[in-house]
Amino acid sequence: MAKQLGYHTIHEIFSRFQAQEAEPKGELEHVNAFTLVVAVALSAQATDVGVNKATRALFQIADTPDKMLALGEEGLIEHIKTIGLYRQKAKNVIKLSRILSEQYLGQVPSSRAALEALPGVGRKTANVVLNMWFKHPAQAVDTHIFRVGNRTGIAPGKDVVAVERAIEDNIPVEFQQHAHHWLILHGRYTCKARKPLCNACIIRNLCPFEEKTP
């Protein structure tokens, strides 16, 4: 775990991220708030690419809680059986669809507590929805962000909640909205787990990681 970087260094890092890609986007495909919730819930222990392949046809016929309930658990399984843990995920999606239909008139709530109360929706999923759909500066910490936060000293922490807090506390407000997307993309394509592409990294000279690849 690297030491926490200073404010000016973090500001420069995110200035570079912003210059490289001003409006970073999440890679999970969705058409509304409900399909975003479903896509993120399905993405646990699965790749975005794999989820997108499964949901393209699914969301054409089931893009609301009521339509998902009409499809049913077995119908849903036929669409998502290429995704890991698909049986449990199908149960959760049907359960959360019923809750949204009966308690929220089919609408996705903008409250973290309400989102986390949905089956199969944890803190990370709730934060993704709050950030991507409701434009809250919520920080969803996945394995990429956890690694980048600790490796670079941008947001060091012993667990995901600590890293989430560090992002909220240490990254300038002007970068908060897109911070988690910049960090995810950096971790996914440059600051990889086993062989980081340090020679192609735009923040190489600001990063204290001692085992930089040549």
Side-chain angles (χ1 to χ4, degrees):
M1 184 189 299
K3 290 183 178 180
Q4 175 67 54
L5 293 178
Y7 175 87
H8 293 295
T9 302
I10 291 176
H11 193 283
E12 175 60 24
I13 285 172
F14 281 90
S15 293
R16 294 182 188 183
F17 286 156
Q18 186 178 57
Q20 185 180 53
E21 187 169 4
E23 295 285 334
K25 305 294 183 185
E27 297 183 326
L28 282 174
E29 296 173 7
H30 59 283
V31 296
N32 55 29
F34 171 68
T35 54
L36 177 59
V37 172
V38 173
V40 181
L42 293 177
S43 72
Q45 300 181 46
T47 66
D48 289 359
V49 172
V51 172
N52 289 339
K53 284 182 180 179
T55 58
R56 281 179 194 132
L58 171 65
F59 292 159
Q60 288 180 6
I61 61 172
D63 60 355
T64 69
D66 287 343
K67 290 179 182 177
M68 190 67 74
L69 291 171
L71 181 63
E73 189 174 319
E74 292 304 316
L76 174 57
I77 284 174
E78 285 303 306
H79 285 275
I80 68 169
K81 59 187 179 183
T82 56
I83 301 174
L85 307 175
Y86 67 90
R87 289 193 182 278
Q88 184 57 50
K89 290 177 180 178
K91 290 181 187 296
N92 287 336
V93 169
I94 294 300
K95 287 179 181 177
L96 72 83
S97 296
R98 184 165 290 110
I99 291 172
L100 291 176
S101 178
E102 294 176 355
Q103 298 183 24
Y104 297 97
L105 302 177
Q107 301 300 307
V108 174
S110 59
S111 152
R112 179 187 279 116
L115 287 167
E116 286 191 53
L118 297 173
V121 175
R123 187 178 184 86
K124 186 187 81 170
T125 299
N127 281 345
V128 170
V129 175
L130 289 171
N131 182 283
M132 289 181 63
W133 191 260
F134 295 106
K135 306 304 180 186
H136 296 183
Q139 307 301 333
V141 178
D142 68 352
T143 54
H144 296 299
I145 293 181
F146 186 80
R147 177 177 67 256
V148 173
N150 280 289
R151 184 181 276 173
T152 63
I154 291 171
K158 293 183 179 180
D159 55 46
V160 294
V161 175
V163 171
E164 180 184 323
R165 294 283 182 262
I167 292 173
E168 292 173 347
D169 291 344
N170 301 319
I171 293 176
V173 172
E174 65 200 270
F175 302 120
Q176 286 280 332
Q177 181 62 50
H178 295 308
H180 96 275
H181 279 135
W182 280 317
L183 292 172
I184 286 173
L185 294 171
H186 189 65
R188 184 173 288 164
Y189 297 111
T190 302
C191 196
K192 300 180 180 182
R194 295 187 179 179
K195 293 183 178 179
L197 306 180
C198 298
N199 61 326
C201 178
I202 63 172
I203 63 168
R204 178 187 175 101
N205 68 315
L206 302 173
C207 173
F209 183 51
E210 294 180 354
E211 300 172 35
K212 288 189 178 77
T213 54

